[in-house]
């Protein structure tokens, strides 16, 4: 593998985590947002796979897998063996209904907000539309609904 030779930004416009098409220079349009844009895109989205130099030439953020590496499909797809069968595990593109009846993208499950990421997964994975459409973030298990059956209350106590 010639990883060093692949360290360049491809010309064109590419889709980012917000579904918008941008050139690689978009990463640097606001210096206060560079790290966040890299975290949300590098090795994950189309722009994050096409803008290798803007993403640090393969030096990915801790905890992220390079989706363009061998063995992984370009859209955050994993293959897991469950009961000796290959099972495709991926997050579906789009916005999905949450337990709060709000439309969110799969990445919402990973961010701490009014409730933390773990609670969001407990309240949604295997239970709501977002929890069924975002298989990779919910754990990729065939019976993922069973691992998220713990009762949990949000800040409003409902």
């Amino acid at each position: 593998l010639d990883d060093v030779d692949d360290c360049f930004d491809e010309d064109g416009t590419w889709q980012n985590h917000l579904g918008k098409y941008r050139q690689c220079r978009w990463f640097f349009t606001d210096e206060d947002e560079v790290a966040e844009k890299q975290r949300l895109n590098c090795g994950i989205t189309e722009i994050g796979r096409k803008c290798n130099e803007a993403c640090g030439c393969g030096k990915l953020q801790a905890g992220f897998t390079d989706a363009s590496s061998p063995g992984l499909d370009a859209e955050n797809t994993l293959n897991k063996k469950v009961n000796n069968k290959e099972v495709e595990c991926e997050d579906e593109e789009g916005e999905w209904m949450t337990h709060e009846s709000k439309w969110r993208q799969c990445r919402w499950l990973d961010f701490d907000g009014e409730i933390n990421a773990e609670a969001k997964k407990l309240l949604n994975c295997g239970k709501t539309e977002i929890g069924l459409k975002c298989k990779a973030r919910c754990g990729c298990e065939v019976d993922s609904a069973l691992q998220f059956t713990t009762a949990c209350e949000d800040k409003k106590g409902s």
Side-chain angles (χ1 to χ4, degrees):
L1 294 172
D2 291 336
D3 291 336
V4 176
D5 294 339
D6 293 338
C7 187
F8 63 92
D9 292 339
E10 291 186 38
D11 289 334
T13 56
W14 316 107
Q15 193 172 24
N16 66 18
H17 68 287
L18 299 171
K20 309 256 186 206
Y21 287 86
R22 300 287 185 252
Q23 294 177 332
C24 295
R25 67 180 181 218
W26 166 81
F27 280 100
F28 306 103
T29 56
D30 182 340
E31 70 179 61
D32 293 334
E33 295 178 357
V34 173
E36 184 73 355
K37 287 177 180 178
Q38 289 173 329
R39 185 179 72 80
L40 295 171
N41 291 279
C42 293
I44 301 167
T45 62
E46 184 180 39
I47 196 170
R49 292 186 304 274
K50 298 292 187 177
C51 303
N52 291 323
E53 187 176 4
C55 283
C57 302
K59 296 179 184 109
L60 297 175
Q61 309 298 324
F64 285 101
T65 304
D66 184 351
S68 62
S69 66
L72 287 178
D73 180 33
E75 290 301 324
N76 204 18
T77 300
L78 301 170
N79 285 321
K80 260 196 166 179
K81 285 208 172 217
V82 178
N83 298 329
N84 292 323
K85 292 182 182 177
E86 274 309 306
V87 176
E88 193 173 56
C89 177
E90 64 182 81
D91 290 339
E92 291 184 39
E93 298 277 333
E95 292 193 341
W96 314 108
M97 188 70 70
T98 70
H99 72 285
E100 299 171 316
S101 298
K102 293 182 180 174
W103 297 96
R104 298 284 186 250
Q105 295 177 347
C106 292
R107 61 188 173 84
W108 172 82
L109 290 166
D110 291 331
F111 296 113
D112 292 337
E114 283 186 28
I115 59 173
N116 68 32
E118 183 180 343
K120 287 179 184 178
K121 290 175 183 172
L122 285 170
L123 292 165
N124 291 279
C125 292
K127 298 175 184 177
T128 62
E129 185 179 34
I130 196 170
L132 297 170
K133 298 290 187 178
C134 304
K135 295 176 190 151
R137 282 177 169 79
C138 282
C140 301
E141 302 298 334
V142 171
D143 49 359
S144 61
L146 297 177
Q147 65 181 349
F148 293 107
T149 54
T150 305
C152 183
E153 292 183 357
D154 63 18
K155 286 184 175 179
K156 296 180 183 105
S158 53

